[in-house]
Each structure stands twice: as structure tokens, then as C-alpha cells.
Amino acid sequence: MNVNNVSLETVCGITSKLPDNSLPEIAFAGKSNVGKSSLINGLINRKSLARTSSQPGKTQTINFYNIEDKLYFVDLPGYGFAKVSKETQAKWGKMIERYLKNSKQLKMISLLVDIRHEPSENDKMMFDWIKAFDLPVLVIATKSDKLSKVEKAKMIKIIKQSLGIKNEPIIPFSAIDKSGKDEIWALIESKLVSETEVIEN
């Protein structure tokens, strides 16, 4: 997709009412500091619309980015950040669950994992959670520039086995060289096209 017009349209906190959007939503989930904001910025050709931080746990809200008035990117709070209180983590979990249950326009969730490490228990829980809601999931393995081609192939196999991935797609992505960007967009656009065809039929 040719992206020129993007805006942060809605920010939802723990007690906020979710927006009643009419456009399709693609959500992004992952542990704190896995690179969600860097991925979103890379996909929309921006340097800092989605705020990046070396401090994990920075995203504490659900952020809705309007992309060309065609769809929303939904940035969910990062999970698994130990320095955040258990109470706060529980509230974030409930906020994410409320979104997954109640969004009428959610078409796919992109689950981000760090390609350098085997998925954590929180990653596995999130993947199982998404599947339990019967939602399409795309696994994005971030920071792929950190590994060689052979190492990437080895880690993708480990990630698939660890999460129990069967037919779900997994795409390596680098925020540095943008490798994987075109593949991610192609999958997102194919998902939106298939949804449109279902509606029209």
C-alpha cells in the first residue's frame, strides 16, 4: 500500500470506551521492547509517529492509527514487563482481552516475537489466546538483521515448534533494513481483499 496519510486517531486507556470504527483493524501484540512501534513506523514510512523507547512498558494504552482512511493499525500494550506491578499487568491484560472480545472490525493480529530467542511463556500464552478467540494471526519475527541467514532459518523453526504454529504465516522483519516489510503488507492487503469479497458475496 502506498502510505502518505497517517494519523494517531484514538488513544484508549484502561477505562476508556473502545471506538466504534467502521474500517478494518489490524492489531499488533508482543512483549515489551520487542519492536512494535518500530515495526509500525517502518510499515507506514514514518520515523516516530508510533513512539519508540528503550524503556520497556512505554506503550500503556491501545493506540489506533488511521492509515489512508482505509484501515487502522492498533498498537496494543506490551506484556511481560517485570518492572510493572502485577496489578498494572492484570489491568493491561483485561484491556487487551476487552478489545479482542469486543472489536467488530478486528481482522488479524500480528504477534511479534524476537527472532533471537525462543518465544517466552507470555508469547505462547498470547498465541494460544489469539487462537482461542478464533482470530487470524500473523507471527512477525523482529530484529532479523541481528542474525545470519542460517541462524534465521534455525530460529524460525524453533519459533514454529515452540508456538505450535501449523498453517499460520511467520515473517522475519528488520526495522533497520526493512526486510519483510513488503511481505507483511502483501499479507495484510490480501486479508483486507478477502474480507471485502466476503462482504460483497
Side-chain angles (χ1 to χ4, degrees), residues 32 55-57 80-86 88-89 92:
S32 298
Q55 178 186 350
F81 180 43
K83 291 186 179 180
V84 174
S85 70
K86 295 290 184 184
T88 301
Q89 288 185 44
W92 288 359

Coordinates of all heavy atoms in Angstrom, one line a residue, residues 32 55-57 80-86 88-89 92:
S32 N 7.0 -6.4 25.8 CA 7.6 -5.1 25.9 C 9.0 -5.1 25.2 O 9.8 -6.0 25.4 CB 7.7 -4.6 27.4 OG 6.5 -4.5 28.0
Q55 N 13.0 2.1 26.9 CA 12.4 1.7 28.2 C 11.2 0.8 27.9 O 10.2 1.3 27.4 CB 12.0 3.0 28.9 CG 11.3 2.7 30.3 CD 10.8 3.9 30.9 OE1 11.1 5.0 30.5 NE2 10.0 3.8 32.0
P56 N 11.3 -0.5 28.3 CA 10.1 -1.4 28.1 C 8.9 -0.9 28.9 O 9.0 -0.2 29.9 CB 10.6 -2.7 28.7 CG 12.1 -2.6 28.7 CD 12.4 -1.2 28.9
G57 N 7.7 -1.3 28.4 CA 6.5 -0.9 29.0 C 6.0 0.5 28.7 O 5.1 1.0 29.4
G80 N 4.5 -8.7 29.7 CA 5.7 -9.4 30.3 C 6.8 -8.4 30.8 O 7.9 -8.9 30.9
F81 N 6.5 -7.2 31.1 CA 7.5 -6.3 31.6 C 7.5 -6.4 33.1 O 6.6 -5.9 33.8 CB 7.2 -4.8 31.2 CG 8.2 -3.8 31.7 CD1 9.5 -4.1 31.6 CD2 7.7 -2.6 32.1 CE1 10.4 -3.1 32.1 CE2 8.6 -1.6 32.6 CZ 10.0 -1.9 32.6
A82 N 8.6 -6.9 33.7 CA 8.6 -7.3 35.1 C 8.6 -6.1 36.0 O 8.1 -6.2 37.1 CB 9.9 -8.1 35.3
K83 N 9.0 -4.9 35.6 CA 9.1 -3.8 36.5 C 7.7 -3.1 36.6 O 7.6 -2.2 37.5 CB 10.1 -2.7 36.0 CG 11.6 -3.3 36.1 CD 12.6 -2.2 35.7 CE 14.0 -2.7 35.9 NZ 15.0 -1.7 35.5
V84 N 6.8 -3.5 35.8 CA 5.4 -3.0 36.0 C 4.7 -3.9 37.1 O 4.9 -5.1 37.1 CB 4.6 -3.1 34.7 CG1 3.1 -2.7 34.9 CG2 5.2 -2.1 33.7
S85 N 3.9 -3.3 38.0 CA 3.3 -4.1 39.0 C 2.4 -5.1 38.5 O 1.8 -5.0 37.4 CB 2.5 -3.1 40.0 OG 1.4 -2.6 39.3
K86 N 2.2 -6.2 39.3 CA 1.3 -7.3 38.9 C -0.1 -6.7 38.6 O -0.8 -7.2 37.7 CB 1.2 -8.3 40.0 CG 2.5 -9.1 40.2 CD 2.9 -10.0 39.0 CE 4.1 -10.8 39.3 NZ 4.5 -11.6 38.1
T88 N -1.0 -3.7 37.6 CA -1.0 -3.0 36.3 C -1.0 -4.0 35.1 O -1.7 -3.8 34.2 CB 0.2 -2.0 36.2 OG1 0.2 -1.1 37.2 CG2 0.2 -1.3 34.8
Q89 N -0.2 -5.0 35.2 CA -0.1 -6.1 34.2 C -1.5 -6.7 34.0 O -1.9 -6.9 32.9 CB 0.9 -7.1 34.6 CG 2.3 -6.7 34.4 CD 3.3 -7.8 34.7 OE1 3.1 -8.9 34.2 NE2 4.4 -7.6 35.5
W92 N -3.7 -4.3 32.1 CA -3.4 -4.3 30.7 C -4.0 -5.5 30.0 O -4.5 -5.5 29.0 CB -1.9 -4.3 30.5 CG -1.2 -3.0 30.8 CD1 -1.9 -1.8 31.3 CD2 0.1 -2.7 30.8 NE1 -0.9 -0.8 31.5 CE2 0.3 -1.3 31.2 CE3 1.3 -3.4 30.4 CZ2 1.5 -0.7 31.2 CZ3 2.5 -2.8 30.5 CH2 2.6 -1.5 30.9

